[in-house]
Amino acid sequence: MLSNGEKVEYARRLNSVLDYVDQHLDTSLELDKLAEVAHFSRFHFHRIFAAWMGETLGDYARRRRLETAAWRLSCDRQASVLDIALACGFASGEAFARAFKLRFDCTPSQWRAGSDERRLAQVRAGYENRARHDSNLSQVLSNSDQVNVNGICEDGGSYQPRRKYLMEVNIVQLPAVRVAYQRYIGPYGPGVTEFWRSKVTPWMQVHGLQDQVCYGIGYDDPSVTAADKCRYDACVTITEGFAPGAHANVKTLPGGAYAVAQFNGPATAVNDAWMELMREYLPASGMQCDDRPCFEQFSANSALDLQTGIFSCLLCIPVKAL
């Protein structure tokens, strides 16, 4: 039986492996190299990974290749299906097409053709989920009895925008930023709220990071990835020499061009704003998403007005020209 300290260390090492896999999908992902990244012996690593993740290393790599390819098909309309297949580690277009059809029950081209409809459905589903639960970001440094957040959909009905946010959107060149992150794996929603409250915020306070800029990054599409395998990173900006200890990993969020909008409103209505950006701004902008993650950027100690329930953050969409 592992102690709590051992569990934390295992999670830190295995999260490094997950990051390495995502960054090297176009390579062969040799077992020896991944065991080295995790600092486990080759003999034990495969069994440790399978026990921790609930799937074998081979199954995980295959799933991530297909899910990443699905995302790129949706976001990069200019890249050919073959280019995406090769970038995700498939040896040929034929091998990719067979694996994609088996996983998603459609061809890569059919998947690409339905991208806009799927994206809106995903944002709508996220809105409905958030309408039923507290916002994952609204309670980072607050208790549930401190805030009266307006705008919750009591009947859990279909998406009905309360108002148009009419946010000003600017294309901004954001710098790369070094962050410490803790990873939550599981269904998006209340579990992420509890993760910020019970794990991330206390760690930030211990390390004097409560005044730093934070980022919330959901990497997976719940309509594609099983809920218990969705990944969310709670990130906080750190300096170059900062040592995060055993509870967090360090990485660099990519810089580049982002469509950035300031959101100010009820925390439960953030998905309204995302819907507006995806449905109205992006198609008319001459831009498209690329395969960097979208994120919400905020300051943990000032993002939420405890008196009004107004939440303030930047919604950041990585973009490139059509």
Side-chain angles (χ1 to χ4, degrees):
M1 185 67 119
L2 295 177
S3 68
N4 286 337
E6 289 171 327
K7 289 179 181 178
V8 167
E9 177 62 15
Y10 269 52
R12 188 188 67 78
R13 294 190 192 184
L14 288 167
N15 281 330
S16 294
V17 174
L18 302 189
D19 292 341
Y20 183 91
V21 169
D22 267 12
Q23 293 160 10
H24 297 83
L25 290 175
D26 60 340
T27 71
S28 60
L29 295 173
E30 297 293 338
L31 177 62
D32 286 352
K33 178 59 181 178
L34 295 176
E36 179 185 334
V37 170
H39 300 289
F40 286 118
S41 74
R42 182 183 187 280
F43 178 77
H44 294 294
F45 173 64
H46 196 282
R47 287 181 293 181
I48 291 170
F49 186 94
W52 193 267
M53 292 299 298
E55 58 187 329
T56 68
L57 181 59
D59 287 343
Y60 178 80
R62 188 177 306 109
R63 176 170 67 82
R64 288 300 306 137
R65 284 185 166 120
L66 286 168
E67 291 174 354
T68 301
W71 172 252
R72 291 185 177 183
L73 285 166
S74 297
C75 292
D76 191 347
R77 306 299 180 90
Q78 303 305 309
S80 70
V81 172
L82 178 59
D83 286 343
I84 290 173
L86 296 176
C88 292
F90 291 91
S92 68
E94 291 78 10
F96 173 58
R98 286 195 300 270
F100 197 93
K101 176 75 171 178
L102 185 64
R103 171 67 175 82
F104 295 109
D105 198 30
C106 67
T107 68
S109 295
Q110 288 169 333
W111 179 270
R112 171 174 272 172
S115 296
D116 291 340
E117 181 179 349
R118 255 192 335 275
R119 183 177 292 113
L120 291 180
Q122 179 188 354
V123 176
R124 185 178 295 112
Y127 165 82
E128 292 169 355
N129 181 65
R130 192 178 298 222
R132 294 185 181 96
H133 303 288
D134 292 331
S135 165
N136 58 337
L137 297 178
S138 68
Q139 298 192 22
V140 172
L141 292 177
S142 67
N143 297 317
S144 58
D145 59 355
Q146 289 180 301
V147 186
N148 178 20
V149 181
N150 298 317
I152 297 177
C153 178
E154 298 295 343
D155 61 5
S158 60
Y159 170 78
Q160 295 292 333
R162 292 176 182 79
R163 68 179 180 90
K164 293 178 74 66
Y165 281 88
L166 300 176
M167 296 169 291
E168 179 181 350
V169 184
N170 295 299
I171 304 301
V172 179
Q173 291 291 327
L174 295 180
V177 59
R178 181 177 170 84
V179 298
Y181 71 95
Q182 296 188 47
R183 177 164 294 159
Y184 165 86
I185 298 179
Y188 293 152
V192 175
T193 303
E194 180 59 25
F195 183 68
W196 273 103
R197 182 183 300 184
S198 65
K199 303 291 186 184
V200 183
T201 299
W203 178 86
M204 289 170 57
Q205 292 171 335
V206 165
H207 288 82
L209 298 172
Q210 59 268 32
D211 295 329
Q212 298 301 308
V213 175
C214 295
Y215 301 84
I217 307 173
Y219 287 99
D220 297 300
D221 179 349
S223 68
V224 173
T225 303
D228 64 344
K229 301 196 183 299
C230 286
R231 299 160 302 153
Y232 176 94
D233 283 356
C235 309
V236 57
T237 305
I238 57 173
T239 59
E240 187 64 33
F242 179 82
H247 285 78
N249 289 47
V250 172
K251 64 181 175 182
T252 299
L253 300 184
Y258 287 80
V260 178
Q262 175 71 55
F263 172 82
N264 296 289
T268 49
V270 173
N271 270 86
D272 277 352
W274 279 114
M275 170 69 92
E276 184 176 313
L277 289 174
M278 292 293 191
R279 185 181 61 185
E280 299 181 23
Y281 167 77
L282 204 57
S285 69
M287 310 291 286
Q288 62 178 323
C289 291
D290 67 20
D291 58 2
R292 292 168 294 161
C294 299
F295 55 79
E296 295 169 7
Q297 176 185 318
F298 61 99
S299 174
N301 67 355
S302 63
L304 183 69
D305 186 321
L306 297 179
Q307 299 300 315
T308 65
I310 296 299
F311 177 65
S312 299
C313 70
L314 296 178
L315 308 182
C316 303
I317 303 175
V319 292
K320 64 180 180 180
L322 283 171

